[in-house]
Every structure is written in C-alpha cells, then in structure tokens.
Amino acid sequence: MDLNLTAEESAFRDELHGWLAANAPQDWNEWREKPLDESFSYLRAWQRKLHEGRWAAVSWPKEYGGRSATLMQQALFWEEMARVDAPPMVNALGLGLIGPTIIACGTDAQKERYIRKILSAEEIWCQGFSEPNAGSDLAGLQTEARLDGDHYIVNGQKVWTSYGSFGDWCELVVRTDPGVAKHKGLTVLLVDMKSPGVEVRPLRQMTGESEFSELFFRDVRVPAENTLGKVNDGWNVAMSTLMYERGSYGARLHLIFKRFITRLIELARTVQRNGRPAAEDPLIRQKLAQLSAEIEIMRFNQMRAFSRITATGVPGPEGSLQKIFWSELNQRLQQIAQELLGSYGQLLGGDPHAIDNGIWSYAYLRTRGNTIEAGTSEVQRNIIGHFVLGLPRSY
Amino acid sequence: MQFGLTESQEFLKNSARQFFAGECPSAEMRRLMATDTAYDAVLWSKLADQGYTGIIYPEAYGGVSLGKVELMLLLEEAGRALLPGPFFSTVVLAGSVLDAVGTPAHKKQYLEPICKGEVRSTVAILEAGASWNLQDIQLGASNGKLNGEKLFVPDAAVADFLIVIARNGIFLVNAEARGLTISPMSGMDLTRKLYVVRFNNTPVEEIGPNLDLARALDISTAALAAELVGGMQRTLDVTVEYAKTRKQFGKPIGMFQAVQHQCADMYLETESSRSAVYYAGWALEENAPDAATAVSIAKMYCSDAARTVGNRGIQIHGGMGFTWENDLHLYYRRAKASETAFGDATFHRERIASMVIDSGSVSAKSA
Ligand SMILES: Cc1cc2nc3c(=O)[nH]c(=O)nc-3n(C[C@H](O)[C@H](O)[C@H](O)COP(=O)(O)OP(=O)(O)OC[C@H]3O[C@@H](n4cnc5c(N)ncnc54)[C@H](O)[C@@H]3O)c2cc1C
C-alpha cells in the first residue's frame, strides 16, 4: 500500500487541472438551484464537453472512451472536479451503472451503438427495474415480453423510475419465461423510450419535485437484438447493474459530503450557541468531528472496495456495505446540519432568510430516499447477512 | 394513584378525534395547507362551537375551565389530524400568555374573544438570533412604540392582534397598527405558516412584565409536544396497517423482523412520548414543583421521537413513503418544525441538566 502520487498520477492530475481551468463553466451558481427540467440542457452541454476532453468516464476502458484510470486516478478525478466546484454529469445512471453493464454484458454491436452516446449525454438513460408489486422483491416483477418474430412485445408497468421523464433509453427488466422459478425467467432489454406505447407519468416526490416517474408499456415493440446479455439471464445482468450502483456511487458522494461538512464547519463559526460561536460548543464539536471522521471512513471503505474490484473485475455483494454507509451517513449529516441551523434549517429555497438558499431543508427531506433507493437498508442488511456472512436466509 | 385518563377525559379525547376526522380529514388538511394562511373561517367557528377555543380558560371569560391534561388530549388529537391554521398560535400560545400575565381588563378585552372564537392571535418571540432563551431578546419598546423585527412568527397574517415578547415587557399590537408589516417565510411545515413581523414606530399596549411568561411558555411547549404525540400515533397507525397489507416475497412485509422491530420501536417511542406529555400536563395543572422539568422532559423526548418515528414510517413505506401523495411527509415536516420550536432536544436537555445537576450541587453544598 502506498498512497503517494506516482509520476503518472501527478501527470494525470496536472492534465485534468489544466483542462478544467480552461473548460469548467464559471456560471454554475446561476443554475445550481434551478429545477432539473430547466438546467437539463446546460448540464447536458457540460457533460458533452467533458466527453470531448475524454473525461466523462475516466474509469472506463480506453477503447470505450475512458482512460482505464486506476483507483487513485479516479479519486483524483473526483477531487479535482470538487475543487473547481464543477457541475455534476447529467447522465448519471448511464455513466455509473448502465454503461458499465453494457460494457460487461453487451455485444460488440451494442457497445458500438450505445456507449459513445452515453458518454456525450446525447442519450440519457434510466433504469426500469421496480414495479408497483416488485420493489425489494425485484425478481417478482411482472412486466412481460413475448417474442413475436424478431421483436419482443412488452406490456406492463414500472415505477419510481429516476430521470424517467428525461430518458431516451431504458434498461428494462422483463419477464420472458413465466413458467420457471422467478429469478430464472427474466431478461434485460434496452428500450427506446420514444417507441410507440411507452407512456411516462411524472410522480411527485416528498421534496416537491418530480425526479422519478411511472412508466407504462402497452404493446411496445422492442427489437430482439436489444437484449442485453442472454435471454432468461436477466437476473444476473440486473444484479451487475445493482452492484455497480451500490458499490461505486460512494466515490462521487464522498466529495459532496466533504463539501457539506466543510460548509457546516464554516457555518458553525458564525452561528451562535449559548452566546458563543457554535464551533466552540463541545457538543457541536463532537458531532462535527464524528461526521468528518465518518466521511473519511466512507472514503477508505470505498478505496478498498475499488482495489478489490480492480483485482476481481466485478463488484460483489460487499457493495451493500457502501450503500448502507453512505445513505445512513447522509441522513445523520443532514440531521446535524438541522440541529446546527436551528429554526433557519426549516426554511425552503426562495426564502430570503434561508441559509444557502434552502439546500439544507431540501437535503434533509431528500436524504430520506437514500435508504430506500437502490435497495433499502433492510435489503442491504439481508444481503450482507446471507451473501457475505453466510447466515441462513431470513426471508 | 391512577395514571390513566378519567371517563370524561376519555370522552373528550374520543369526541375530539371524531370531530377532527369529520371536519379536517386529509383532503381538507391538504386543501388548507395549499392556501396562503391555512386558515378557514368555517372550521374556526366549528372549533369554537365545540368549546375548543376556550378549553382551559375561566368561564368568566367565556372559557370551559378544563385542565391542562385535557389541553394535552385535545392537542394530541389536533396533531393526529395535522390540523392546519392558527389554533395553536391563538388558543394555546396567545391564550396562555394573556391568561398568565393580563389584568382582568386585558382578559376581558382579548382573552374572551379568543375563547368565543371571534379572533385569531399569535405570539412573536424569536429574533434574528433565533434563540429560545428569553434573555437573548433584544427588541424593546420605548415611549409606547416598537421598532425592529421578529422572525418565525406563526400564523401572523391571520392574527387580529399580536403579542410581542420584548426585552422590557409583553406588548400587544393591533393588526391594523401603524408601521406593522407582516411578510411570509417559507418553511418545511406547510400546515403552519411562518412570518417576519416588522415594526416601524408601531404603537403598542403593554400587558405585563415578562416575569410571568415562563408558565405560559411551558404550557405551550407541552401542548406542542402533545401535537407531536398525535402525529406519531397517526404515523404508527398507517405504517402498521401498511406493514400488514403490503406484500413482498409473497408475505406481508410486517412478517420480516427488520420491519416488525421498527414498528415496535415506533410504538415504544410513541407511548413513551405520550407518558411524558400526560405527566407534564398533570404537573402543570397541579403546579407541581417539577412541572418545568416535566415539560422539558416531554419536549426533549418528543422532539427526537417524532423525527425517528417519521423516519421509520417513511422507510417502511419504501418508495411509496417518498411520494408527495402520501401524507407521511406532511407529518414529518411538522415534526421538523416543531422539533426546533420552543427549543430542540439539546436546548431542553440543557434545561434538564441545570435543574437536575446544578440544583443538585446546590443542595449538596448546603448539606
Ligand atoms: C428516490 C428514489 C429513486 C428511485 N429510483 C429508481 C429507479 O431509477 N429505477 C428503479 O427501478 N427503481 C427506483 N427506485 C425504487 C427503489 O429501488 C424501491 O423503492 C426499493 O427497492 C424498495 O421497493 P418498494 O418501494 O417496493 O418497497 P417494498 O419492497 O415494498 O419495501 C417496503 C419495506 O419493507 C421492507 N422489506 C421488504 N422486503 C424485506 C425483507 N425481505 N426483509 C426485511 N425488510 C424487507 C423494505 O426494506 C421497506 O422498508 C427509487 C426509489 C426512490 C425512493
């Protein structure tokens, strides 16, 4: 183990540093607080620019537009992005989960067709897994696909689909064989969201905005060549997507959390508590110190997990540890932010008295979704108990 | 000793529950929440017809002279329905301040119309420092005028008069008074609206010194905690119902221990909150020596419990719990606003510490 920068890593960082200095947008603050439907094309343009500089997915292999970046280089990438406060990449699911799944399970023709447009944000992806009656029990899903010549005919409903209303393509899990055990009859299809028979209805979240949607499929024709992986092997394909989702999301989050805690510490110096700056209050000091420490531990966990993935080639069920850690840490962080901000914490964006234009009240509510999305904390603990620790199955 | 409700208390609680279920069901609560002030005149007159607007005040002023335990029960049921609008601000907050500090003439003039349901009111306490410590109040009246501002004032836009806690006394300001401006703040709790209240040479009437304020604030703090108990109960009820009916892996999710134990924890926290609130109500009613401690115990415990009960309720509902259409988040938003109002758990732990630790050291010294 050696965490000093090698010459190669320094060169990587310097190159990125120079590129960001020349290309990172200066007007992100004007867009940051706007709803996604207003800032979407702005963010799309930013991702396209990153792609042109070959920075959109540094961890991906070179032949697919990445830089085959090492673990350390990936960490450097996110650090530099955070340092210049660069906007996020809008095709998050495409870059983080679905692209890697296509690279791992797709045919050469599929990689050729989809990968570049994921990188350039020309095509935005969403993940059509959950259904009204199949959330935690994903394998119980009922959306069916029937082969009709060289097309599948898809019928059914998905729910909670993030970016559903922006999606050009969807990684859709469907049932192709209702006659076998529920995990065995599933297949993953890559579905053009503009196909006739696809209907998207935005759902309003408890935060007030509509980040996710319901998707309805009525006799939607999907070319059989859009099957990702093998027919009736969809469970394994979907699992590899979920493992990317659980295992790798933390890298980006570390920097977001780091920004939150840095800002909180800054605020603690000005907010008064018992007639002194809160930063001098022993209780607040303990809480902020605990958060800072846990944010570092999250990063160390992440780095070890990355090393393991680099060695084995695929993320494993240990990713559940990361998922539990970041989601529950984020909730603790937002609660402590609320305690620090007191009555001001409740103010929403747009209120002239709100601190940081209401991001704290928004984040407080939004983090409730963190322990539900990408598999609930209960399900992640089941996975650790059974698949990592070898305990008997509990359900 | 009998730490349970009497028959008439049971009756009051049940009829309040029925009243709110009938007059303020979820759809009505959501309709009111979407209005600017969350106030509805028709609902208000029905609250008055029930005697709720005068519940703890003397009959001489049009009240019904019930005790603080009854007040807790009523607020618990209001909290269960997430009753929007200025009931707490008017009846509990302004009413108890007037009751505690006003002269008979003030009570006749201001408390009586509150009891009769003829007016709305509120109390302005917080300033830019947002401290619940009354010693931190800066605003002061001079020559019968106020200059400055108060923040986070609940329901100010529908108040016919406002009670302002100042450094040098408690003052009453008419809603029509010169130099008074009221502008909305936008908070997480959509059912209880908050305002900035500004005074510019605004004429005020003094109604008393703020020496006697502690008791009125204790009553209000306990009543707010009682509201939280009702909200917790509602969250628990709908969550248990959901856990019995929602199926995954071919079973009701309530069969999974991870879910069942969370429901059990919600129950534990709700019941413990209720015990603390009922005791605080009794101690306030009896003027027990530990009344102030009991109020802080209740507010401290309920502030945290309402949030964790909400967390678990949303979690057990999965994606459904994260939607706008589900009422859980509305209770969760109220829980957050009430968590900080009248001091959060840390504030009250500090108060408890000074009462049980510091006063303990005093008696040790004198022994
Ligand atoms: C913000 C957000 C974004 C989302 N984005 C997407 C998306 O883009 N694409 C997509 O497909 N889905 C998405 N989802 C859906 C998410 O994956 C599901 O909500 C989640 O898997 C839970 O499923 P459910 O909502 O049906 O809850 P349920 O599965 O009904 O769970 C209800 C409760 O029961 C518990 N439970 C269930 N089974 C067990 C068990 N065996 N043991 C113990 N406890 C159990 C759960 O933990 C939960 O607390 C999103 C959800 C949210 C909140």
Side-chain angles (χ1 to χ4, degrees), chain A residues 257-290:
Chain A
F257 290 10
K258 192 96 188 168
R259 231 190 6 248
F260 273 138
I261 187 75
T262 306
R263 178 67 184 138
L264 278 185
I265 291 169
E266 214 171 275
L267 287 167
R269 297 211 170 92
T270 55
V271 173
Q272 294 285 308
R273 193 160 195 125
N274 301 322
R276 283 186 305 173
E280 292 172 18
D281 181 285
L283 188 66
I284 293 285
R285 291 173 72 79
Q286 290 279 323
K287 290 188 176 184
L288 292 177
Q290 177 80 24

mmCIF file of all heavy atoms in Angstrom, chain A residues 257-290:
data_model
loop_
_atom_site.group_PDB
_atom_site.id
_atom_site.type_symbol
_atom_site.label_atom_id
_atom_site.label_comp_id
_atom_site.label_asym_id
_atom_site.label_seq_id
_atom_site.Cartn_x
_atom_site.Cartn_y
_atom_site.Cartn_z
ATOM 1 N N PHE A 257 -20.261 15.074 0.244
ATOM 2 C CA PHE A 257 -20.322 15.109 1.711
ATOM 3 C C PHE A 257 -19.241 16.028 2.258
ATOM 4 O O PHE A 257 -19.442 16.752 3.222
ATOM 5 C CB PHE A 257 -20.124 13.706 2.298
ATOM 6 C CG PHE A 257 -21.278 12.769 2.051
ATOM 7 C CD1 PHE A 257 -22.299 13.101 1.186
ATOM 8 C CD2 PHE A 257 -21.345 11.546 2.700
ATOM 9 C CE1 PHE A 257 -23.361 12.237 0.963
ATOM 10 C CE2 PHE A 257 -22.396 10.671 2.490
ATOM 11 C CZ PHE A 257 -23.400 11.019 1.613
ATOM 12 N N LYS A 258 -18.088 15.940 1.631
ATOM 13 C CA LYS A 258 -16.952 16.750 2.063
ATOM 14 C C LYS A 258 -17.322 18.238 1.942
ATOM 15 O O LYS A 258 -17.005 19.048 2.806
ATOM 16 C CB LYS A 258 -15.774 16.401 1.151
ATOM 17 C CG LYS A 258 -14.474 16.907 1.606
ATOM 18 C CD LYS A 258 -13.729 15.842 2.376
ATOM 19 C CE LYS A 258 -12.499 16.509 2.963
ATOM 20 N NZ LYS A 258 -11.841 15.701 3.932
ATOM 21 N N ARG A 259 -18.007 18.561 0.844
ATOM 22 C CA ARG A 259 -18.417 19.953 0.675
ATOM 23 C C ARG A 259 -19.427 20.360 1.747
ATOM 24 O O ARG A 259 -19.377 21.443 2.297
ATOM 25 C CB ARG A 259 -19.001 20.168 -0.715
ATOM 26 C CG ARG A 259 -18.341 21.341 -1.351
ATOM 27 C CD ARG A 259 -18.847 21.927 -2.626
ATOM 28 N NE ARG A 259 -20.052 21.448 -3.187
ATOM 29 C CZ ARG A 259 -20.102 20.772 -4.318
ATOM 30 N NH1 ARG A 259 -19.002 20.480 -4.964
ATOM 31 N NH2 ARG A 259 -21.255 20.397 -4.801
ATOM 32 N N PHE A 260 -20.350 19.442 2.032
ATOM 33 C CA PHE A 260 -21.353 19.714 3.072
ATOM 34 C C PHE A 260 -20.665 19.980 4.416
ATOM 35 O O PHE A 260 -20.964 20.951 5.090
ATOM 36 C CB PHE A 260 -22.297 18.516 3.251
ATOM 37 C CG PHE A 260 -23.487 18.508 2.319
ATOM 38 C CD1 PHE A 260 -23.899 17.331 1.697
ATOM 39 C CD2 PHE A 260 -24.220 19.669 2.085
ATOM 40 C CE1 PHE A 260 -25.006 17.316 0.858
ATOM 41 C CE2 PHE A 260 -25.333 19.653 1.257
ATOM 42 C CZ PHE A 260 -25.715 18.479 0.639
ATOM 43 N N ILE A 261 -19.746 19.103 4.795
ATOM 44 C CA ILE A 261 -19.150 19.234 6.128
ATOM 45 C C ILE A 261 -18.263 20.485 6.203
ATOM 46 O O ILE A 261 -18.267 21.197 7.208
ATOM 47 C CB ILE A 261 -18.389 17.939 6.558
ATOM 48 C CG1 ILE A 261 -17.936 18.028 8.009
ATOM 49 C CG2 ILE A 261 -17.179 17.651 5.719
ATOM 50 C CD1 ILE A 261 -19.012 17.841 9.019
ATOM 51 N N THR A 262 -17.574 20.776 5.113
ATOM 52 C CA THR A 262 -16.747 21.988 5.093
ATOM 53 C C THR A 262 -17.623 23.214 5.303
ATOM 54 O O THR A 262 -17.304 24.113 6.081
ATOM 55 C CB THR A 262 -16.017 22.095 3.735
ATOM 56 O OG1 THR A 262 -15.315 20.884 3.524
ATOM 57 C CG2 THR A 262 -15.052 23.265 3.717
ATOM 58 N N ARG A 263 -18.752 23.212 4.618
ATOM 59 C CA ARG A 263 -19.682 24.337 4.750
ATOM 60 C C ARG A 263 -20.273 24.394 6.161
ATOM 61 O O ARG A 263 -20.430 25.468 6.736
ATOM 62 C CB ARG A 263 -20.786 24.199 3.693
ATOM 63 C CG ARG A 263 -21.842 25.258 3.745
ATOM 64 C CD ARG A 263 -21.301 26.637 3.363
ATOM 65 N NE ARG A 263 -22.343 27.650 3.511
ATOM 66 C CZ ARG A 263 -22.145 28.850 4.029
ATOM 67 N NH1 ARG A 263 -20.936 29.231 4.407
ATOM 68 N NH2 ARG A 263 -23.146 29.696 4.139
ATOM 69 N N LEU A 264 -20.589 23.229 6.715
ATOM 70 C CA LEU A 264 -21.158 23.209 8.067
ATOM 71 C C LEU A 264 -20.165 23.767 9.083
ATOM 72 O O LEU A 264 -20.546 24.492 10.005
ATOM 73 C CB LEU A 264 -21.542 21.778 8.476
ATOM 74 C CG LEU A 264 -22.879 21.259 7.985
ATOM 75 C CD1 LEU A 264 -23.146 19.881 8.583
ATOM 76 C CD2 LEU A 264 -24.013 22.213 8.355
ATOM 77 N N ILE A 265 -18.918 23.405 8.907
ATOM 78 C CA ILE A 265 -17.893 23.894 9.839
ATOM 79 C C ILE A 265 -17.790 25.417 9.717
ATOM 80 O O ILE A 265 -17.710 26.129 10.718
ATOM 81 C CB ILE A 265 -16.546 23.176 9.583
ATOM 82 C CG1 ILE A 265 -16.679 21.706 10.016
ATOM 83 C CG2 ILE A 265 -15.398 23.869 10.308
ATOM 84 C CD1 ILE A 265 -15.546 20.805 9.594
ATOM 85 N N GLU A 266 -17.844 25.887 8.477
ATOM 86 C CA GLU A 266 -17.840 27.330 8.229
ATOM 87 C C GLU A 266 -19.031 27.997 8.932
ATOM 88 O O GLU A 266 -18.886 29.012 9.620
ATOM 89 C CB GLU A 266 -17.985 27.518 6.727
ATOM 90 C CG GLU A 266 -17.290 28.675 6.099
ATOM 91 C CD GLU A 266 -17.417 28.508 4.575
ATOM 92 O OE1 GLU A 266 -16.570 27.781 4.015
ATOM 93 O OE2 GLU A 266 -18.371 29.054 3.971
ATOM 94 N N LEU A 267 -20.209 27.381 8.770
ATOM 95 C CA LEU A 267 -21.408 27.945 9.404
ATOM 96 C C LEU A 267 -21.299 27.904 10.927
ATOM 97 O O LEU A 267 -21.739 28.831 11.613
ATOM 98 C CB LEU A 267 -22.662 27.185 8.949
ATOM 99 C CG LEU A 267 -23.119 27.459 7.522
ATOM 100 C CD1 LEU A 267 -24.162 26.437 7.076
ATOM 101 C CD2 LEU A 267 -23.678 28.868 7.389
ATOM 102 N N ALA A 268 -20.692 26.835 11.442
ATOM 103 C CA ALA A 268 -20.579 26.691 12.895
ATOM 104 C C ALA A 268 -19.740 27.814 13.497
ATOM 105 O O ALA A 268 -19.865 28.138 14.673
ATOM 106 C CB ALA A 268 -19.971 25.329 13.246
ATOM 107 N N ARG A 269 -18.865 28.403 12.671
ATOM 108 C CA ARG A 269 -18.060 29.519 13.187
ATOM 109 C C ARG A 269 -18.894 30.784 13.343
ATOM 110 O O ARG A 269 -18.539 31.676 14.104
ATOM 111 C CB ARG A 269 -16.907 29.811 12.221
ATOM 112 C CG ARG A 269 -15.949 28.646 12.102
ATOM 113 C CD ARG A 269 -14.530 29.120 11.823
ATOM 114 N NE ARG A 269 -13.624 27.993 11.943
ATOM 115 C CZ ARG A 269 -13.275 27.224 10.894
ATOM 116 N NH1 ARG A 269 -13.714 27.514 9.681
ATOM 117 N NH2 ARG A 269 -12.485 26.194 11.085
ATOM 118 N N THR A 270 -20.009 30.873 12.612
ATOM 119 C CA THR A 270 -20.800 32.109 12.682
ATOM 120 C C THR A 270 -22.091 31.942 13.480
ATOM 121 O O THR A 270 -22.513 32.856 14.162
ATOM 122 C CB THR A 270 -21.150 32.615 11.262
ATOM 123 O OG1 THR A 270 -21.795 31.563 10.566
ATOM 124 C CG2 THR A 270 -19.907 33.026 10.504
ATOM 125 N N VAL A 271 -22.712 30.742 13.381
ATOM 126 C CA VAL A 271 -23.952 30.525 14.133
ATOM 127 C C VAL A 271 -23.645 30.589 15.623
ATOM 128 O O VAL A 271 -22.661 30.008 16.087
ATOM 129 C CB VAL A 271 -24.542 29.132 13.791
ATOM 130 C CG1 VAL A 271 -25.725 28.812 14.688
ATOM 131 C CG2 VAL A 271 -24.961 29.086 12.338
ATOM 132 N N GLN A 272 -24.481 31.295 16.371
ATOM 133 C CA GLN A 272 -24.250 31.432 17.807
ATOM 134 C C GLN A 272 -24.973 30.340 18.588
ATOM 135 O O GLN A 272 -26.080 29.963 18.249
ATOM 136 C CB GLN A 272 -24.765 32.792 18.297
ATOM 137 C CG GLN A 272 -23.989 33.977 17.733
ATOM 138 C CD GLN A 272 -22.635 34.153 18.391
ATOM 139 O OE1 GLN A 272 -22.528 34.216 19.602
ATOM 140 N NE2 GLN A 272 -21.573 34.221 17.573
ATOM 141 N N ARG A 273 -24.315 29.863 19.608
ATOM 142 C CA ARG A 273 -24.940 28.898 20.501
ATOM 143 C C ARG A 273 -24.505 29.237 21.927
ATOM 144 O O ARG A 273 -23.321 29.282 22.202
ATOM 145 C CB ARG A 273 -24.478 27.493 20.136
ATOM 146 C CG ARG A 273 -25.304 26.451 20.793
ATOM 147 C CD ARG A 273 -25.159 25.138 20.058
ATOM 148 N NE ARG A 273 -26.221 24.264 20.502
ATOM 149 C CZ ARG A 273 -27.075 23.691 19.694
ATOM 150 N NH1 ARG A 273 -27.011 23.881 18.415
ATOM 151 N NH2 ARG A 273 -28.001 22.894 20.172
ATOM 152 N N ASN A 274 -25.467 29.481 22.788
ATOM 153 C CA ASN A 274 -25.177 29.908 24.164
ATOM 154 C C ASN A 274 -24.193 31.078 24.203
ATOM 155 O O ASN A 274 -23.229 31.077 24.962
ATOM 156 C CB ASN A 274 -24.615 28.745 24.994
ATOM 157 C CG ASN A 274 -25.593 27.588 25.052
ATOM 158 O OD1 ASN A 274 -26.800 27.807 25.138
ATOM 159 N ND2 ASN A 274 -25.101 26.372 24.966
ATOM 160 N N GLY A 275 -24.417 32.027 23.309
ATOM 161 C CA GLY A 275 -23.608 33.236 23.343
ATOM 162 C C GLY A 275 -22.200 33.102 22.772
ATOM 163 O O GLY A 275 -21.405 34.022 22.865
ATOM 164 N N ARG A 276 -21.905 31.949 22.186
ATOM 165 C CA ARG A 276 -20.585 31.756 21.569
ATOM 166 C C ARG A 276 -20.786 31.139 20.191
ATOM 167 O O ARG A 276 -21.827 30.546 19.931
ATOM 168 C CB ARG A 276 -19.767 30.764 22.407
ATOM 169 C CG ARG A 276 -19.185 31.341 23.680
ATOM 170 C CD ARG A 276 -18.273 30.321 24.338
ATOM 171 N NE ARG A 276 -18.957 29.048 24.586
ATOM 172 C CZ ARG A 276 -18.360 27.942 25.035
ATOM 173 N NH1 ARG A 276 -17.072 27.935 25.245
ATOM 174 N NH2 ARG A 276 -19.057 26.839 25.255
ATOM 175 N N PRO A 277 -19.762 31.229 19.330
ATOM 176 C CA PRO A 277 -19.903 30.527 18.053
ATOM 177 C C PRO A 277 -20.128 29.035 18.316
ATOM 178 O O PRO A 277 -19.488 28.469 19.217
ATOM 179 C CB PRO A 277 -18.556 30.760 17.363
ATOM 180 C CG PRO A 277 -17.970 31.947 18.034
ATOM 181 C CD PRO A 277 -18.495 31.960 19.440
ATOM 182 N N ALA A 278 -21.035 28.430 17.541
ATOM 183 C CA ALA A 278 -21.345 27.006 17.743
ATOM 184 C C ALA A 278 -20.095 26.148 17.652
ATOM 185 O O ALA A 278 -20.007 25.111 18.306
ATOM 186 C CB ALA A 278 -22.392 26.559 16.729
ATOM 187 N N ALA A 279 -19.111 26.586 16.843
ATOM 188 C CA ALA A 279 -17.886 25.794 16.685
ATOM 189 C C ALA A 279 -17.126 25.653 18.002
ATOM 190 O O ALA A 279 -16.238 24.808 18.124
ATOM 191 C CB ALA A 279 -16.987 26.429 15.619
ATOM 192 N N GLU A 280 -17.439 26.481 18.990
ATOM 193 C CA GLU A 280 -16.778 26.362 20.290
ATOM 194 C C GLU A 280 -17.610 25.533 21.273
ATOM 195 O O GLU A 280 -17.188 25.285 22.395
ATOM 196 C CB GLU A 280 -16.534 27.757 20.889
ATOM 197 C CG GLU A 280 -15.513 28.549 20.095
ATOM 198 C CD GLU A 280 -15.416 29.993 20.560
ATOM 199 O OE1 GLU A 280 -15.863 30.295 21.685
ATOM 200 O OE2 GLU A 280 -14.906 30.811 19.778
ATOM 201 N N ASP A 281 -18.809 25.158 20.855
ATOM 202 C CA ASP A 281 -19.695 24.385 21.731
ATOM 203 C C ASP A 281 -19.249 22.916 21.729
ATOM 204 O O ASP A 281 -19.154 22.297 20.665
ATOM 205 C CB ASP A 281 -21.137 24.521 21.205
ATOM 206 C CG ASP A 281 -22.131 23.777 22.056
ATOM 207 O OD1 ASP A 281 -22.179 22.531 21.970
ATOM 208 O OD2 ASP A 281 -22.866 24.437 22.799
ATOM 209 N N PRO A 282 -18.964 22.362 22.904
ATOM 210 C CA PRO A 282 -18.414 20.997 22.944
ATOM 211 C C PRO A 282 -19.299 19.960 22.253
ATOM 212 O O PRO A 282 -18.792 19.052 21.596
ATOM 213 C CB PRO A 282 -18.310 20.695 24.444
ATOM 214 C CG PRO A 282 -18.597 21.946 25.170
ATOM 215 C CD PRO A 282 -19.117 22.966 24.230
ATOM 216 N N LEU A 283 -20.595 20.117 22.391
ATOM 217 C CA LEU A 283 -21.500 19.139 21.787
ATOM 218 C C LEU A 283 -21.437 19.203 20.260
ATOM 219 O O LEU A 283 -21.347 18.177 19.581
ATOM 220 C CB LEU A 283 -22.922 19.423 22.276
ATOM 221 C CG LEU A 283 -23.964 18.400 21.894
ATOM 222 C CD1 LEU A 283 -23.679 17.071 22.584
ATOM 223 C CD2 LEU A 283 -25.346 18.900 22.296
ATOM 224 N N ILE A 284 -21.481 20.414 19.734
ATOM 225 C CA ILE A 284 -21.401 20.590 18.287
ATOM 226 C C ILE A 284 -20.038 20.111 17.773
ATOM 227 O O ILE A 284 -19.953 19.455 16.727
ATOM 228 C CB ILE A 284 -21.619 22.076 17.919
ATOM 229 C CG1 ILE A 284 -23.054 22.501 18.245
ATOM 230 C CG2 ILE A 284 -21.276 22.360 16.471
ATOM 231 C CD1 ILE A 284 -24.088 21.977 17.278
ATOM 232 N N ARG A 285 -18.989 20.406 18.520
ATOM 233 C CA ARG A 285 -17.658 19.962 18.101
ATOM 234 C C ARG A 285 -17.604 18.443 17.971
ATOM 235 O O ARG A 285 -17.086 17.908 17.000
ATOM 236 C CB ARG A 285 -16.605 20.396 19.120
ATOM 237 C CG ARG A 285 -16.371 21.878 19.167
ATOM 238 C CD ARG A 285 -15.444 22.238 20.318
ATOM 239 N NE ARG A 285 -14.054 21.832 20.081
ATOM 240 C CZ ARG A 285 -13.225 22.522 19.312
ATOM 241 N NH1 ARG A 285 -13.621 23.626 18.728
ATOM 242 N NH2 ARG A 285 -11.987 22.107 19.133
ATOM 243 N N GLN A 286 -18.162 17.748 18.953
ATOM 244 C CA GLN A 286 -18.188 16.292 18.913
ATOM 245 C C GLN A 286 -18.930 15.796 17.676
ATOM 246 O O GLN A 286 -18.494 14.876 16.995
ATOM 247 C CB GLN A 286 -18.899 15.739 20.159
ATOM 248 C CG GLN A 286 -18.138 15.904 21.453
ATOM 249 C CD GLN A 286 -17.083 14.828 21.639
ATOM 250 O OE1 GLN A 286 -17.302 13.685 21.264
ATOM 251 N NE2 GLN A 286 -15.949 15.190 22.198
ATOM 252 N N LYS A 287 -20.067 16.427 17.417
ATOM 253 C CA LYS A 287 -20.894 15.946 16.298
ATOM 254 C C LYS A 287 -20.210 16.200 14.959
ATOM 255 O O LYS A 287 -20.218 15.344 14.075
ATOM 256 C CB LYS A 287 -22.273 16.597 16.341
ATOM 257 C CG LYS A 287 -23.096 16.076 17.517
ATOM 258 C CD LYS A 287 -24.528 16.542 17.499
ATOM 259 C CE LYS A 287 -25.287 15.881 18.657
ATOM 260 N NZ LYS A 287 -26.702 16.186 18.672
ATOM 261 N N LEU A 288 -19.629 17.389 14.810
ATOM 262 C CA LEU A 288 -18.959 17.697 13.543
ATOM 263 C C LEU A 288 -17.717 16.814 13.371
ATOM 264 O O LEU A 288 -17.410 16.370 12.259
ATOM 265 C CB LEU A 288 -18.584 19.178 13.477
ATOM 266 C CG LEU A 288 -19.770 20.155 13.393
ATOM 267 C CD1 LEU A 288 -19.276 21.601 13.411
ATOM 268 C CD2 LEU A 288 -20.620 19.906 12.155
ATOM 269 N N ALA A 289 -17.034 16.554 14.476
ATOM 270 C CA ALA A 289 -15.851 15.690 14.399
ATOM 271 C C ALA A 289 -16.252 14.276 13.994
ATOM 272 O O ALA A 289 -15.618 13.644 13.141
ATOM 273 C CB ALA A 289 -15.129 15.672 15.739
ATOM 274 N N GLN A 290 -17.330 13.787 14.576
ATOM 275 C CA GLN A 290 -17.821 12.445 14.249
ATOM 276 C C GLN A 290 -18.160 12.350 12.750
ATOM 277 O O GLN A 290 -17.777 11.395 12.074
ATOM 278 C CB GLN A 290 -19.063 12.139 15.091
ATOM 279 C CG GLN A 290 -19.711 10.804 14.805
ATOM 280 C CD GLN A 290 -19.001 9.644 15.486
ATOM 281 O OE1 GLN A 290 -18.327 9.836 16.499
ATOM 282 N NE2 GLN A 290 -19.125 8.462 14.920
#
